[in-house]
Amino acid sequence: MYQPTNHAEHTRNVLVAVDPQRDFIDGSLAVKDGDQVIAPLNDIAREVRHTDGAVVFTRDWHPQVTPHFDQWPVHCVQNTEGASYPAELVVDPTDVIVSKGMGQEDGYSGMEGSTDDGMTLEQIVEPQNPHERVRIFVGGLATDFCVKATALDLATHFDNDPRATIILIRDAIRAVNLQPQDGETAIQAMTDAGIQAMTTQEIKAAFFENEGLQL
């Protein structure tokens, strides 16, 4: 379980992997090519762990009955296979799982959720002192719903705070696309909010290839 530290010697990296769950990959609400987010999420998660950063997986964790299912097919019901993470996704025992949508709310944003012991995403990403900086990488499913909602809530939380940088992992997202341009419209909304969009390779080259030198 991630525990905030009382001091910081460098920028802390945080990965927020949004809802890479079975129902969104090959289940009742499967996103086209949703399985393609797994490899880049694993890649960035590995790099973040190597810097002693925090890897956070959010998940829809819906009750069996919720108004949310008036809008969508039944998906990610608590303790079902569809709510689980696929075997190909590497989830380490030290990683953090944030559950959302547990009541009668939609729960699109990871900022609405909490861990089993009550920690919120806000508490995990918040700088632990005035001098610490955080670099937050966001990816997962789906671009135009839960990824967008989570990223925009993070941007709002850190509104003009120079201690925080939010980066969308461009190749670790896929969209529902109820309308053909919904995914690109969501990406534009995130970049308009000051979120950087970079590929996995660009992220690794910029922040991780010289481990310890650019942190």
Side-chain angles (χ1 to χ4, degrees):
M1 179 63 207
Y2 169 74
Q3 294 295 333
T5 56
N6 292 323
H7 67 281
E9 297 177 352
H10 54 68
T11 297
R12 180 164 54 96
N13 294 302
V14 180
L15 169 65
V16 180
V18 179
D19 301 0
Q21 294 167 270
R22 291 291 303 272
D23 271 342
F24 297 132
I25 292 172
D26 58 9
S28 61
L29 195 50
V31 177
K32 184 177 185 297
D33 297 326
D35 62 322
Q36 297 302 302
V37 309
I38 296 175
L41 288 177
N42 283 343
D43 208 0
I44 298 300
R46 182 170 56 251
E47 299 288 354
V48 168
R49 292 186 194 105
H50 285 168
T51 67
D52 293 324
V55 175
V56 183
F57 293 95
T58 73
R59 63 181 180 181
D60 272 5
W61 201 240
H62 295 301
Q64 291 186 347
V65 178
T66 168
H68 188 64
F69 295 154
D70 295 339
Q71 309 169 60
W72 300 103
V74 175
H75 63 277
C76 298
V77 173
Q78 298 171 14
N79 300 307
T80 62
E81 181 178 356
S84 66
Y85 298 121
E88 298 80 7
L89 186 73
V90 178
V91 181
D92 192 88
T94 62
D95 296 339
V96 183
I97 295 177
V98 170
S99 302
K100 58 191 180 64
M102 294 180 286
Q104 300 300 291
E105 72 282 2
D106 290 322
Y108 291 123
S109 173
M111 294 287 275
E112 300 176 42
S114 63
T115 66
D116 285 347
D117 56 0
M119 178 172 281
T120 64
L121 184 57
E122 176 180 339
Q123 292 172 307
I124 295 166
V125 300
E126 186 73 12
Q128 300 305 309
N129 61 64
H131 306 291
E132 183 179 61
R133 294 178 177 270
V134 290
R135 185 185 295 125
I136 307 164
F137 304 100
V138 182
L141 300 169
T143 311
D144 38 352
F145 287 94
C146 294
V147 171
K148 180 180 75 171
T150 301
L152 291 180
D153 278 356
L154 284 166
T156 298
H157 177 69
F158 288 112
D159 185 29
N160 296 319
D161 187 338
R163 296 177 299 165
T165 303
I166 305 170
I167 300 167
L168 180 70
I169 312 170
R170 187 66 178 82
D171 53 333
I173 54 174
R174 293 295 186 277
V176 175
N177 281 336
L178 294 176
Q179 300 297 323
Q181 296 301 313
D182 283 354
E184 290 305 317
T185 300
I187 292 170
Q188 186 64 55
M190 288 183 269
T191 57
D192 286 348
I195 297 167
Q196 301 176 39
M198 302 172 67
T199 67
T200 298
Q201 290 307 312
E202 289 170 339
I203 289 167
K204 290 172 69 174
F207 305 121
F208 296 112
E209 284 190 350
N210 296 314
E211 185 174 347
L213 297 181
Q214 300 190 42
L215 297 177

